[in-house]
Amino acid sequence: MQIEGKIAVVTGGASGIGRALAMEFVARGAAGVVVADLDGEWAQKVAERIGGLAVQCDVGEPGAIESLVAAARARYGRVDIFCSNAGYSDPVGVGLDESMEAFERLTRVNMLAHVAAAKAVVPEMVERGGGYLLQTLSSAALISGPAAPGYTFTKFGALGFAEWMAVNYGAKGVRVSCLCPNVVYTGMFGRPKDLDAVAVPPAVGALGEVLLPEDVAVTVADAMEGPEPFLILPHPRVGESYRRKADDYEGWILRTRERLARMQAG
Ligand SMILES: NC(=O)c1ccc[n+]([C@@H]2O[C@H](COP(=O)([O-])OP(=O)(O)OC[C@H]3O[C@@H](n4cnc5c(N)ncnc54)[C@H](O)[C@@H]3O)[C@@H](O)[C@H]2O)c1
């Protein structure tokens, strides 16, 4: 799909990967971009910069995605690309002590928001002959490791939904991609919202190969404009780990358990 001339909605568009995607879409000639975020003030600042529409919304609330799509259609007439990007993690280290209410909220934001988005935009995409769903998931959707449990199972669940969508709607012209990065220097890792290009602080750099969201957005847009990519993996080693896991699931669990124990021992 060529991004030029398209109308895109990006949730979590006020910061990090979402903001970078919104800006990259405009740079590639998108005809309209909706910046949706819990943080209305920063959604507005990003929308002003790119000449888009800001919508304050909580994608975990019932009806929020439907209202967002209605606002996008009222302004631009249609939605060609829906990026379900908003997401967050339960705190690492809390594990099973996290409350069920917190897991339920995480499920609404990280998983069910993707379902609500598909319900809101896909029927019209099919009628018009096509559209694009981009889900920002995580390497944690493919391989569990140090990430928190709620983050892991919600990202896995969202991957399952995306796979189902790709299998059932691909022939109807709806393309589905899942962005599964490892570490990206965004608000999740303390990047301030108001800085455009910043050096990765040493404490974040120590986490391994750390990418900037602006570079991830270029990778994503290139992939969207290329042959149908289901998984978009800006860190190639995520794909290698995923293949190793598929080849020997039990051995992979054993090795990951040992690696985590070494990490936790310092
Ligand atoms: N940064 C990473 O290393 C990394 C790695 C893998 C996946 N991800 C995923 O990338 C996505 C974007 O995160 P980011 O890293 O850019 O972080 P970020 O904190 O910079 O941006 C996330 C944005 O989403 C918004 N948001 C959070 N909950 C929301 C809700 N309920 N409704 C609407 N907006 C909401 C926040 O206000 C924020 O502006 C997330 O889904 C995250 O899980 C990030």
Side-chain angles (χ1 to χ4, degrees), residues 122-198:
V122 165
E124 202 194 71
M125 286 176 175
V126 171
E127 258 176 44
R128 282 190 287 106
Y132 210 118
L133 301 179
L134 173 73
Q135 299 194 170
T136 303
L137 303 183
S138 167
S139 56
L142 302 169
I143 40 175
S144 40
Y151 192 70
T152 304
F153 79 70
T154 54
K155 296 291 185 176
F156 265 67
L159 179 72
F161 177 66
E163 189 180 290
W164 185 89
M165 284 300 302
V167 168
N168 285 277
Y169 281 89
K172 295 174 183 161
V174 179
R175 290 179 58 174
V176 184
S177 293
C178 297
L179 167 62
C180 297
N182 199 244
V183 181
V184 185
Y185 183 44
T186 66
M188 259 186 131
F189 288 93
R191 176 169 169 173
K193 281 186 181 155
D194 56 343
L195 293 183
D196 278 324
V198 286

Side-chain angles (χ1 to χ4, degrees), residues 239-252 255:
E240 290 154 21
S241 302
Y242 190 45
R243 278 187 286 278
R244 281 200 296 277
K245 172 174 132 172
D247 284 347
D248 173 17
Y249 215 148
E250 287 73 20
W252 180 88
R255 289 191 300 279

Side-chain angles (χ1 to χ4, degrees), residues 10-21 36-40 42-43 55-61 64-65 68 84-89 105 108-110 113-114 135-141 151 154-155 179-193 204 207 209-211 213 235:
V10 184
T11 68
S15 175
I17 296 170
R19 181 177 73 168
L21 284 172
D37 206 286
L38 204 50
D39 183 340
W42 271 94
V55 174
Q56 194 280 332
C57 75
D58 178 345
V59 300
E61 285 299 308
I65 301 270
L68 166 61
S84 284
N85 167 80
Y88 71 103
S89 177
R105 159 93 184 142
R108 286 202 304 277
V109 174
N110 285 8
H114 300 290
Q135 299 194 170
T136 303
L137 303 183
S138 167
S139 56
Y151 192 70
T154 54
K155 296 291 185 176
L179 167 62
C180 297
N182 199 244
V183 181
V184 185
Y185 183 44
T186 66
M188 259 186 131
F189 288 93
R191 176 169 169 173
K193 281 186 181 155
V204 179
L207 296 171
E209 187 191 1
V210 180
L211 301 181
H235 301 78

Side-chain angles (χ1 to χ4, degrees), residues 15-135:
S15 175
I17 296 170
R19 181 177 73 168
L21 284 172
M23 293 176 79
E24 185 62 25
F25 291 158
V26 168
R28 293 190 187 219
V33 175
V34 181
V35 180
D37 206 286
L38 204 50
D39 183 340
E41 186 190 336
W42 271 94
Q44 187 60 42
K45 287 185 188 180
V46 174
E48 274 169 18
R49 178 182 286 199
I50 63 175
L53 172 71
V55 174
Q56 194 280 332
C57 75
D58 178 345
V59 300
E61 285 299 308
I65 301 270
E66 291 80 353
S67 303
L68 166 61
V69 169
R73 286 188 183 132
R75 171 72 172 261
Y76 296 115
R78 63 182 199 278
V79 175
D80 301 305
I81 301 170
F82 195 104
C83 302
S84 284
N85 167 80
Y88 71 103
S89 177
D90 38 340
V92 174
V94 176
L96 292 180
D97 290 336
E98 189 59 277
S99 70
M100 282 309 286
E101 290 73 23
F103 281 141
E104 282 165 11
R105 159 93 184 142
L106 200 55
T107 302
R108 286 202 304 277
V109 174
N110 285 8
M111 252 172 77
L112 294 179
H114 300 290
V115 181
K119 283 171 71 65
V121 297
V122 165
E124 202 194 71
M125 286 176 175
V126 171
E127 258 176 44
R128 282 190 287 106
Y132 210 118
L133 301 179
L134 173 73
Q135 299 194 170

